Amino acid sequence: MLIKAPLARTIGLPDPRFFITWDDLVYGWLAAQQTPVVYVNAFVIKKVRVQRQVDLGLRHLNDSSDLSRRYVMRNRGHVAQYLRAHGKFNRFGFGAGTALTYLKELVRLVVVERTLKGAGLLWQGWRESRAILADTGWKPMPQLPSPGDGYPGSGSERD
């Protein structure tokens, strides 16, 4: 993602509370709330690890890792908090999306990886997302200081 420095100062840095997944989506969404964005629908990353996958017609599912499975569910709590902070949270819609994400990951386990090993971490991630949702002290990433406001190296960098 390429963004101009003033936009990064406005939306802050990517949130380090995200791990493995959803961070790029939320950061792009935050940018899109401030300015029009250009999306290039092309793959520029080539995975070097051979992955098992199943084609389901409308989409395909690759194999995954237990770590990824846990955090795809856990980080939905942070996604919900960002939506809340921007007045875009719909409890019913988000709950349905979370249930569908959980089911998709179970299908991935059974159909692609032919196991249920990892379902416990999926459930753990869901529980962790509920705790994040219940955190009344949760705050989005803050804006960055503007040049001249004590920002390291202020005044000499170009946007």
Side-chain angles (χ1 to χ4, degrees):
M1 173 185 297
L2 300 173
I3 63 172
K4 292 185 175 187
L7 178 58
R9 281 191 284 278
T10 299
I11 64 175
L13 295 173
D15 193 329
R17 292 173 290 193
F18 285 101
F19 180 68
I20 296 181
T21 187
W22 296 107
D23 54 337
D24 52 349
L25 180 118
V26 169
Y27 201 65
W29 179 78
L30 289 170
Q33 301 307 296
Q34 303 294 319
T35 187
V37 298
V38 175
Y39 173 75
V40 178
N41 190 18
F43 288 97
V44 294
I45 297 175
K46 181 176 177 8
K47 297 194 180 216
V48 294
R49 177 179 69 87
V50 175
Q51 290 186 286
R52 289 175 285 171
Q53 62 177 251
V54 172
D55 187 353
L56 301 175
L58 292 174
R59 68 171 294 150
H60 69 277
L61 292 176
N62 293 331
D63 61 351
S64 188
S65 70
D66 288 342
L67 197 61
S68 180
R69 239 181 302 286
R70 174 182 168 200
Y71 284 97
V72 77
M73 292 307 298
R74 173 197 172 267
N75 289 350
R76 285 191 64 81
H78 291 302
V79 172
Q81 290 285 31
Y82 270 99
L83 291 171
R84 279 181 178 163
H86 290 272
K88 308 276 184 179
F89 182 73
N90 176 297
R91 185 180 183 95
F92 176 76
F94 195 83
T98 300
L100 288 172
T101 300
Y102 189 85
L103 288 172
K104 177 192 79 169
E105 291 303 319
L106 282 177
V107 168
R108 181 189 316 269
L109 276 170
V110 173
V111 175
V112 179
E113 300 179 32
R114 302 179 193 277
T115 184
L116 279 175
K117 183 180 176 277
L121 287 172
L122 190 58
W123 181 247
Q124 179 183 348
W126 192 335
R127 286 193 327 265
E128 290 170 350
S129 79
R130 305 280 302 153
I132 293 166
L133 275 165
D135 181 0
T136 57
W138 189 98
K139 301 275 187 240
M141 287 294 290
Q143 291 183 337
L144 295 174
S146 296
D149 291 344
Y151 182 64
S154 63
S156 62
E157 285 78 26
R158 298 184 65 151
D159 294 336

